[in-house]
C-alpha cells in the first residue's frame, strides 16, 4: 500500500506515478491516511491524554527509512525517552471528571446531604483549603481529593508534575500524598461543596468519619472539662459550641438525644473541623450520669431561668452561685465541671434541670437572653485557664477606676 502511494523514480527527468489498480480516488486516499495516523500515534491513557507511541511508525518500517542515518526519527514524548521525568511521576495519575452525573460526584453529593448515608459509608466530605489545613494533622490518610485542573495538559509537563498549575503548596502536598486524586471543573467543585462560587485553588476531600468514644471506658479522673449538649438542633450553634470547646481546652463533648449531626456540612464549617480535634460521645441521661460519677465532675447548667428565679430551681444552684462569685479565677480554672447547654428555643429539659446546678450570665434587662452558643462560650472562657490572662490584659490596657 505504501508503494502504490509513493512516487516512482524510474526516470530522473520524467517522474510518473505508478497507475493504481482498482481506481484509487480521493476518498480512498483519505481513508488510508487516517488509518496510517491511527497506527502511528495512538495510546490513550486513563486521563485521556494523547501519548505518542514508542514504536517506529509503520510508514518507516515498510519503506526502510528507519535505517537511513540522514532521515532521523521524530523525538518521542514517552516515558522511555525521558526516564528522569517518569521517575518523578506519581504512581497513580489524577482522574478526569467532566460530568456532574459521574457516579463519584453523585456519591460525594449524597455524603454532603444525607446523615444516614454518611453513617452507612463512614465517610464525610470536607470542603475548603483552610478547613483541610486546620484539621489535616488530626486526620488519617485521605482517600480522595478533588481539585480544579485544566482539561488540556501538556504531556511532558504532566509526566513531570501533574499538579504544576496548582498554586497552593498545601494543596500540592495534599494531592501528592492522597490515595486518589480527581481533576474536576469549577461547576463540579461547586456541586461537591454546595457553593456557588469557587476559586482556582478550591479543594475538597472525602475522609473517614471520626469514631465516637465511650467516656465510661476512660481511666477515672481523665476528664476535667466536659461540654454536654441537649437538643441542640441548629447546626450553626453546634458548630460554634464545638469550636469554643476546643478553644477553651475542654476535654470532650457529650451529645444527648435531639442534637444536630456534628458532621453536617454547616456544622463542620462553623466548627472549623473541631469534631476531629475533640473526642465526642453519644448517649442518654443515664450514660451521662455514669460519666460524671466516674470522673468526679460537677454538673453545671447554663439556664436563663436561674436569673429569672433569682437563685435557680436546680439542685444546689444557690450554693454554687455564691461560690462562683466569691472565688478567684484560678479556682475556677481548676474546677472539674460538666457544663450542660440546652437548645435556644426550648432550653433545658426538666430532667436535666433537676440534675444540675444552674447558673446564668448577669446582663441588662434590655435583652432577655443571649444566643446559646455565645452564653456557653462565655462560661467556658471563665472556666478555662485563659480567663485570668484575659483579666490581666484588660487591667493593663484600661485605666484604673478612681
Amino acid at each position: 500500500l505504501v508503494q502504490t502511494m509513493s512516487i516512482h523514480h524510474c526516470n530522473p527527468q520524467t517522474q510518473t506515478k505508478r497507475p493504481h489498480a482498482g481506481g484509487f480516488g480521493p476518498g480512498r486516499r483519505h481513508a488510508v491516511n487516517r488509518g496510517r495516523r491511527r497506527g502511528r500515534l495512538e495510546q490513550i491513557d486513563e486521563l485521556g491524554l494523547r501519548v505518542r507511541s514508542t514504536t517506529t511508525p509503520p510508514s518507516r518500517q515498510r519503506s526502510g527509512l528507519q535505517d537511513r542515518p540522514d532521515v532521523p526519527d521524530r523525538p518521542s514524548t514517552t516515558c522511555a525517552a525521558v526516564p528522569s521525568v517518569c521517575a518523578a511521576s506519581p504512581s497513580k495519575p489524577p482522574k478526569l471528571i467532566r460530568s456532574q452525573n459521574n457516579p463519584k460526584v453523585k456519591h460525594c453529593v449524597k455524603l454532603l446531604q444525607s446523615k444516614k448515608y454518611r453513617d452507612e459509608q463512614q465517610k464525610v466530605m470536607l470542603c475548603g483549603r483552610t478547613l483541610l489545613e486546620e484539621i489535616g494533622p488530626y486526620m488519617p490518610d485521605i482517600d480522595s481529593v478533588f481539585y480544579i485542573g485544566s482539561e488540556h495538559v501538556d504531556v511532558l509537563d504532566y509526566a513531570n508534575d501533574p499538579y504544576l498549575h496548582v498554586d497552593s503548596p498545601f494543596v500540592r502536598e495534599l494531592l501528592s500524598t492522597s490515595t486518589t486524586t480527581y481533576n474536576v471543573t469549577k461547576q463540579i467543585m461547586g456541586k461537591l461543596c454546595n457553593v456557588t462560587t469557587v476559586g482556582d485553588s478550591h479543594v475538597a476531600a472525602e475522609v473517614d468519619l471520626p469514631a465516637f468514644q465511650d467516656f465510661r471506658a476512660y481511666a477515672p479522673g481523665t476528664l476535667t472539662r466536659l461540654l454536654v449538649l441537649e437538643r441542640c438542633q441548629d447546626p450553626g450553634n453546634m458548630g460554634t459550641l464545638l469550636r469554643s470547646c476546643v478553644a477553651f481546652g475542654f476535654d470532650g463533648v457529650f451529645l444527648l438525644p435531639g442534637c444536630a449531626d456534628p458532621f453536617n456540612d454547616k456544622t463542620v464549617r462553623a466548627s472549623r473541623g473541631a469534631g476531629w480535634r475533640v473526642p465526642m460521645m453519644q448517649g442518654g441521661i443515664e450514660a451521662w450520669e455514669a460519666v460524671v460519677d466516674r470522673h468526679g465532675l460537677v454538673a453545671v447548667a447554663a439556664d436563663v431561668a436561674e436569673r429569672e428565679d433569682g437563685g435557680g430551681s436546680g439542685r444546689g444552684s444557690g450554693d454554687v452561685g455564691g461560690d462562683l462569685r466569691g472565688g478567684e479565677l484560678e479556682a475556677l480554672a481548676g474546677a472539674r465541671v460538666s457544663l450542660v447547654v440546652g437548645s435556644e428555643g426550648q432550653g433545658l429539659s426538666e430532667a436535666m434541670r433537676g440534675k444540675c446546678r444552674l447558673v446564668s450570665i448577669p446582663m441588662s434587662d434590655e435583652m432577655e437572653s443571649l444566643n446559646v452558643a455565645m452564653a456557653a462560650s462565655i462560661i467556658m472562657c471563665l472556666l478555662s485557664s485563659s480567663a485570668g490572662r484575659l483579666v490581666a490584659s484588660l487591667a493593663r490596657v484600661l485605666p484604673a477606676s478612681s
Side-chain angles (χ1 to χ4, degrees):
L1 190 60
V2 173
Q3 290 177 353
T4 61
M5 294 189 62
S6 62
I7 297 178
H8 194 60
H9 298 279
C10 56
N11 189 331
Q13 296 179 352
T14 60
Q15 296 180 355
T16 59
K17 291 184 179 179
R18 177 174 294 182
H20 306 299
F24 196 74
R28 171 76 173 164
R29 187 181 307 118
H30 294 329
V32 171
N33 288 340
R34 285 196 300 271
R36 229 193 243 157
R37 287 194 295 271
R38 280 196 297 268
R40 201 166 57 237
L41 285 176
E42 321 279 354
Q43 270 177 314
I44 301 295
D45 69 351
E46 64 177 346
L47 182 61
L49 296 174
R50 220 173 227 191
V51 182
R52 192 173 299 282
S53 173
T54 55
T55 59
T56 305
S59 58
R60 290 188 179 274
Q61 292 176 351
R62 295 190 182 118
S63 62
L65 291 177
Q66 73 275 16
D67 299 325
R68 290 177 53 182
D70 57 328
V71 186
D73 217 346
R74 276 189 176 186
S76 172
T77 57
T78 60
C79 287
V82 279
S84 60
V85 166
C86 293
S89 302
S91 58
K92 232 177 176 183
K95 297 181 179 181
L96 202 71
I97 296 180
R98 290 296 177 265
S99 171
Q100 296 189 22
N101 294 322
N102 184 283
K104 186 67 175 179
V105 175
K106 291 182 177 179
H107 161 75
C108 293
V109 171
K110 197 171 181 180
L111 285 178
L112 201 67
Q113 298 174 346
S114 171
K115 178 185 185 304
K116 181 179 178 182
Y117 191 67
R118 285 193 294 270
D119 293 340
E120 290 174 355
Q121 301 293 317
Q122 285 297 295
K123 299 284 185 181
V124 66
M125 287 296 295
L126 297 179
C127 301
R129 184 182 65 186
T130 303
L131 177 62
L132 287 167
E133 280 180 338
E134 289 191 356
I135 65 177
Y138 304 92
M139 289 189 301
D141 295 338
I142 298 176
D143 291 336
S144 303
V145 176
F146 301 82
Y147 73 103
I148 299 172
S150 173
E151 184 176 0
H152 306 289
V153 185
D154 183 82
V155 175
L156 277 175
D157 288 342
Y158 167 75
N160 186 32
D161 186 357
Y163 313 121
L164 183 65
H165 64 285
V166 178
D167 296 330
S168 168
F170 170 78
V171 176
R172 287 172 59 86
E173 178 69 18
L174 189 65
L175 291 168
S176 63
T177 56
S178 61
T179 305
T180 310
T181 57
Y182 294 90
N183 179 318
V184 302
T185 63
K186 287 187 176 181
Q187 291 75 17
I188 293 177
M189 182 64 75
K191 189 171 184 178
L192 292 176
C193 298
N194 195 27
V195 294
T196 56
T197 305
V198 295
D200 291 336
S201 61
H202 210 89
V203 65
E206 178 187 354
V207 303
D208 293 334
L209 277 175
F212 284 99
Q213 305 295 313
D214 187 351
F215 298 146
R216 294 169 296 187
Y218 283 25
T222 304
L223 297 180
T224 59
R225 296 281 193 283
L226 180 66
L227 176 66
V228 184
L229 304 182
E230 184 191 32
R231 299 184 297 187
C232 185
Q233 299 172 349
D234 183 84
N237 281 338
M238 172 169 277
T240 303
L241 286 165
L242 294 178
R243 186 173 178 179
S244 297
C245 184
V246 174
F248 298 122
F250 272 55
D251 303 318
V253 178
F254 194 104
L255 303 178
L256 289 165
C259 288
D261 179 17
F263 302 108
N264 172 287
D265 178 55
K266 187 175 180 181
T267 304
V268 171
R269 292 174 188 271
S271 70
R272 301 294 287 266
W276 279 264
R277 306 193 216 184
V278 62
M280 291 186 286
M281 176 179 174
Q282 291 179 317
I285 294 179
E286 292 183 0
W288 166 71
E289 286 183 304
V291 172
V292 169
D293 292 340
R294 183 171 182 81
H295 297 281
L297 305 178
V298 177
V300 175
D303 190 73
V304 68
E306 194 276 340
R307 182 168 60 90
E308 294 172 351
D309 296 342
S313 58
R315 174 168 50 87
S317 59
D319 292 340
V320 74
D323 291 341
L324 291 177
R325 284 193 295 270
E328 298 292 334
L329 290 174
E330 291 77 6
L332 285 178
R336 307 178 67 86
V337 177
S338 173
L339 176 63
V340 183
V341 179
S343 69
E344 187 167 351
Q346 300 174 338
L348 290 171
S349 66
E350 289 301 322
M352 289 301 293
R353 283 173 56 88
K355 297 178 182 297
C356 300
R357 301 180 178 186
L358 303 184
V359 295
S360 68
I361 299 173
M363 52 186 289
S364 167
D365 293 335
E366 298 296 324
M367 186 60 62
E368 180 183 355
S369 63
L370 292 173
N371 170 276
V372 62
M374 179 178 291
S377 296
I378 291 173
I379 297 175
M380 282 191 280
C381 177
L382 290 172
L383 290 171
S384 70
S385 59
S386 59
R389 296 196 298 271
L390 174 61
V391 171
S393 297
L394 289 173
R396 284 196 304 269
V397 300
L398 295 176
S401 59
S402 54

